[in-house]
Amino acid sequence: MVIESVWFAIGVSAAVKSTLVLAVARLMTSALRGRSAALRHLVWTAAAVAVLALPFFVVSLPALRIPSLGTVAPGVAALFETTATAGADAATPRTPVPSGAANAQRPAHGPLDWRLLLLSLWAAGAAAAFAQMLFAFAAMSRVRRAARSSPDRTLAAELATQLGISRVVRILETSEGSMPMTFGVLRPAIFLPRDAAGWTEERRRVVLLHELAHVRRGDVATHLIARLALILNWCNPLAWVAWREFLKERERATDDLVLGCGARASEYAGHLLEVARGMQPSPGLAWAAVAMARRSQLEGRLVAILDSKVNRKAAGRASAWAAVLVAIALAAPFAAVRAQDPASTALPADIDATIRAADAQKNHEMLEKPAEVFESRRQYDNAKKLLDAAVTIREQESGSQSVAYGVGLMKLGDLEKKRNRPEEAAAFYSKAAALVGDRPEAAPALMYLGEHMLFNMNYLQAIEYFQKAKNLDPAQAGPAQMWMAVVREHEQNSAGAESLFRSALAVEDANSADAATTMELYAFFLKDQGRGDEAAQMSARAAALRGATPREQLPVFRSGGRLTPASETQQLPGNVYRIGNGVTPPKLLSKVEPEYTEEARAAKYQGTAALSVEIRPDGFADNIRVIKGLGLGLDQNAVNAVLQWQFQPGTKDGAPVPVQATIEVNFRLQ
């Protein structure tokens, strides 16, 4: 299933981009309607080359990112939605699902089956068409070996010289009534029917001139290229349109070359009509050889031949090189584009397949986006697996001493920080900071290392990290000075601590969460200094900034599970109810205590986070919104804990209903 998933992803990408290439070619040939058929044929040839090159470009070119509407549209940052309860019901107690369990419980024949079916259907059609082409080549090779030289080889040599063909072209006889054909890329040969000996010399001359024109133009090679492009895209209707246009423009360009050699249009049209009526084309051999005439195209060709106003200019070498450049210009940008859309953040159905596809495309973002989703769902083992692979791709593409590799290590550090593994996080951050160097991107890693040193009472090293982060990124000046104040406080340097607290507040946005955290820590400091009034004023400023009092009086779950009902009953938007007037309150059945973050312990930070939640009929919290936050990661830890709480749901008229509540999560240091 893994390999099929990789090829499916590459195939879909190439199919979509092939459609775009063919659509562009269609528009270009429409715009060139007044130009020569040879030029339009070059455009279709370039499109076929581009279509064949696309799968190789997709896996080899670096990604060119473009944002989609989903990535540009702003999100609601304060809204947290539960994601770990899919399939649970109110009657079944839910136990925590270990990381990776979702994938382990996935049926063996899950969502990838339809992809495998489509891939199999495409492969079967392509294989059948390719086999038919191989059979045609084998058949033409047998015909060539069995054929004898034609008596018109002397006439053909004269005409080849007239067309400027320097290589030897064999003229062979085939069975009576067969259509004149050209076959062979490196050793071209022209096949005439045995009864051509009874034709007039003028007809033999015209037919040979036409087939030699195919040799001069290299039409057997371009026929092979276009046929392969059609085989790869046999299920795409636009590919069949392109194939018909390619054949039409090729024959018209060949006719134009014949007329350019002096053939009279009326006589040439007559001979072409008689050959098409009297000779029988072989559909099977047409997969490998270029036939002189197809009855389905005859009418259009005759009209073009007899129209004296048609542009019959042949395409020269400059045009051929232009076609190559057009092919590259068409294929490369389409192949390199990787849209960043909401689907890119969906959880992969098969992590190993996702890793292999990302490795094939050298696209680390294909792994980092879903890793973020796994992190938000606390499926940390899956996130770690994806990020490890992403870092490997960064290393392969940019080197183990590159900034890009350092940024990847920082993402691993962020993950370990969320997992509350400070030593592992510090190891990743330390190496990342060394690689990123004196760039602003290193500042978050340095900030964490400073906090880690503070927690381990290495105050001198902590100050150095905070000072460097401040110097590298002015946006970190406020938090860095706040942490340096905490360090001075641990060192019993009260004057230094207060000066740094004030400096931090001076540079921070007065309405920001960082400023609120600084105010709260400063208030703790003032209280420890016996300056209770100043501490109370600073706490009030922080509380006002946090929005401590909810605008509406909602039910409140406190630490002991006690619920305070609202004074009125109201059905909220989305069929979420308040308690009262027939709506009974939920009851807390079990809870998971939130974890303290390392930085909060280092700063001796404590407080209460208030969360607005919906208690669903299945007894779990959903749509959690922080209405009174805490800094240093505690409000996120509160959300993570509440997502695992279980309630007896509220009811209305005896039936479970979603009920609005506010949960207060207290963080206290012993």
Side-chain angles (χ1 to χ4, degrees):
M1 297 297 288
V2 171
I3 298 299
E4 289 87 342
S5 300
V6 174
W7 282 109
F8 182 84
I10 295 174
V12 169
S13 175
V16 171
K17 292 167 185 177
S18 295
T19 301
L20 293 175
V21 168
L22 295 175
V24 170
R26 179 68 169 173
L27 292 174
M28 291 178 65
T29 54
S30 297
L32 296 172
R33 191 171 300 169
R35 306 296 293 275
S36 67
L39 183 58
R40 293 192 297 272
H41 180 256
L42 273 176
V43 173
W44 284 118
T45 303
V49 172
V51 166
L52 290 177
L54 270 171
F56 303 99
F57 284 169
V58 165
V59 299
S60 61
L61 288 180
L64 174 63
R65 305 289 164 205
I66 58 171
S68 69
L69 294 178
T71 59
V72 175
V76 183
L79 182 62
F80 298 85
E81 295 187 17
T82 185
T83 58
T85 60
D89 55 50
T92 304
R94 185 180 65 168
T95 57
V97 179
S99 299
N103 285 335
Q105 297 170 2
R106 189 179 304 278
H109 300 286
L112 287 181
D113 281 359
W114 66 272
R115 298 182 183 182
L116 179 59
L117 176 61
L118 291 179
L119 186 64
S120 300
L121 289 174
W122 169 84
F130 189 71
Q132 188 171 359
M133 188 174 72
L134 290 180
F135 289 149
F137 268 90
M140 284 301 303
S141 297
R142 288 195 299 270
V143 170
R144 180 171 186 156
R145 288 194 298 269
R148 63 182 182 181
S149 295
S150 169
D152 289 317
R153 56 184 179 275
T154 303
L155 175 61
E158 296 176 359
L159 296 174
T161 302
Q162 182 181 350
L163 285 170
I165 300 173
S166 57
R167 55 181 172 165
V168 176
V169 180
R170 295 189 65 191
I171 311 300
L172 303 174
E173 279 189 349
T174 59
S175 59
E176 294 184 1
S178 60
M179 180 67 68
M181 294 181 295
T182 301
F183 173 73
V185 176
L186 300 179
R187 296 186 300 119
I190 294 173
F191 298 84
L192 297 178
R194 190 172 297 113
D195 48 344
W199 292 351
T200 64
E201 182 180 351
E202 181 61 27
R203 178 170 296 179
R204 295 199 305 274
R205 177 182 292 273
V206 166
V207 170
L208 284 171
L209 195 58
H210 179 94
E211 297 306 316
L212 287 168
H214 281 309
V215 175
R216 159 77 181 279
R217 287 172 36 80
D219 283 337
V220 176
T222 59
H223 180 89
L224 174 61
I225 291 171
R227 179 67 79 175
L228 288 173
L230 177 64
I231 289 172
L232 290 180
N233 293 272
W234 67 267
C235 53
N236 186 345
L238 188 56
W240 290 95
V241 172
W243 171 250
R244 289 193 295 270
E245 291 296 312
F246 169 86
L247 295 178
K248 180 185 75 174
E249 300 298 351
R250 181 189 71 194
E251 294 306 320
R252 291 187 180 184
T254 305
D255 293 338
D256 291 342
L257 186 55
V258 171
L259 294 174
C261 290
R264 295 182 58 182
S266 57
E267 292 180 358
Y268 177 57
H271 291 308
L272 180 63
L273 181 60
E274 290 301 320
V275 169
R277 285 178 175 176
M279 304 292 106
Q280 297 297 323
S282 175
L285 297 179
W287 282 75
V290 177
M292 180 176 179
R294 294 170 180 262
R295 293 181 182 179
S296 60
Q297 300 173 349
L298 191 58
E299 182 178 355
R301 286 178 65 183
L302 293 176
V303 171
I305 290 170
L306 297 173
D307 188 352
S308 60
K309 298 179 181 179
V310 170
N311 185 335
R312 306 189 190 280
K313 185 177 180 181
R317 287 188 177 181
S319 298
W321 281 109
V324 173
L325 294 176
V326 167
I328 296 173
L330 282 172
F334 285 128
V337 167
R338 313 278 196 273
Q340 293 175 333
D341 53 23
S344 67
T345 62
L347 293 183
D350 188 322
I351 292 178
D352 289 332
T354 303
I355 291 173
R356 295 194 182 202
D359 186 61
Q361 299 187 38
K362 301 303 178 187
N363 182 358
H364 57 82
E365 290 188 9
M366 284 179 62
L367 304 175
E368 291 167 350
K369 292 294 184 180
E372 292 175 6
V373 181
F374 275 125
E375 286 183 33
S376 69
R377 300 184 180 188
R378 303 182 307 284
Q379 297 181 23
Y380 297 127
D381 289 342
N382 290 337
K384 178 68 160 52
K385 190 173 183 179
L386 291 169
L387 288 179
D388 282 338
V391 165
T392 300
I393 293 174
R394 285 176 177 268
E395 182 180 17
Q396 292 171 348
E397 290 296 290
S398 305
S400 60
Q401 301 300 314
S402 65
V403 173
Y405 182 57
V407 171
L409 292 176
M410 278 201 286
K411 291 181 181 293
L412 282 169
D414 294 340
L415 174 63
E416 297 302 335
K417 177 182 175 182
K418 290 180 180 178
R419 300 177 80 172
N420 200 25
R421 296 181 176 181
E423 297 302 328
E424 291 86 346
F428 282 121
Y429 282 134
S430 181
K431 187 173 182 180
L435 292 175
V436 176
D438 295 334
R439 298 170 180 264
E441 294 91 335
L446 294 170
M447 291 292 292
Y448 182 86
L449 291 171
E451 296 162 15
H452 186 65
M453 290 297 105
L454 170 60
F455 185 74
N456 289 290
M457 295 184 291
N458 188 341
Y459 303 136
L460 179 61
Q461 188 67 55
I463 288 290
E464 290 180 1
Y465 279 128
F466 292 134
Q467 187 63 54
K468 187 173 182 180
K470 171 188 171 183
N471 294 338
L472 291 181
D473 186 0
Q476 297 289 346
Q481 290 182 113
M482 179 201 76
W483 279 109
M484 285 190 283
V486 173
V487 174
R488 297 305 183 203
E489 187 178 0
H490 279 263
E491 294 176 330
Q492 305 298 318
N493 184 347
S494 300
E498 182 162 10
S499 175
L500 286 165
F501 275 128
R502 291 184 177 276
S503 297
L505 289 173
V507 298
E508 288 174 333
D509 181 353
N511 296 316
S512 66
D514 286 342
T517 302
T518 301
M519 291 175 189
E520 289 162 344
L521 291 174
Y522 189 20
F524 295 150
F525 168 79
L526 292 171
K527 185 176 181 180
D528 289 342
Q529 296 296 310
R531 297 155 65 179
D533 291 341
E534 294 177 71
Q537 292 176 6
M538 190 61 61
S539 293
R541 287 178 58 189
L545 190 54
R546 294 282 189 197
T549 304
R551 295 183 179 180
E552 298 177 290
Q553 184 60 42
L554 300 174
V556 179
F557 281 96
R558 303 192 185 279
S559 58
R562 180 170 57 86
L563 181 143
T564 302
S567 57
E568 74 274 8
T569 300
Q570 176 185 351
Q571 184 175 348
L572 300 175
N575 294 323
V576 180
Y577 294 84
R578 297 182 188 278
I579 62 174
N581 289 350
V583 179
T584 63
K587 296 179 181 179
L588 183 60
L589 299 178
S590 65
K591 66 177 180 178
V592 175
E593 295 296 341
E595 295 182 351
Y596 245 93
T597 60
E598 184 184 32
E599 56 265 46
R601 291 197 303 271
K604 299 180 180 179
Y605 182 66
Q606 52 190 345
T608 299
L611 309 176
S612 173
V613 304
E614 297 173 11
I615 308 302
R616 299 186 320 217
D618 64 1
F620 293 99
D622 195 6
N623 290 336
I624 300 177
R625 182 169 55 91
V626 179
I627 56 177
K628 178 188 175 184
L630 289 174
L632 307 185
L634 293 183
D635 52 3
Q636 181 61 61
N637 279 14
V639 171
N640 291 340
V642 169
L643 282 170
Q644 302 175 70
W645 290 10
Q646 188 172 10
F647 301 84
Q648 178 180 313
T651 62
K652 177 176 174 58
D653 300 327
V657 293
V659 176
Q660 189 78 22
T662 296
I663 297 177
E664 290 185 350
V665 181
N666 298 308
F667 290 89
R668 294 286 182 266
L669 291 171
Q670 300 298 325

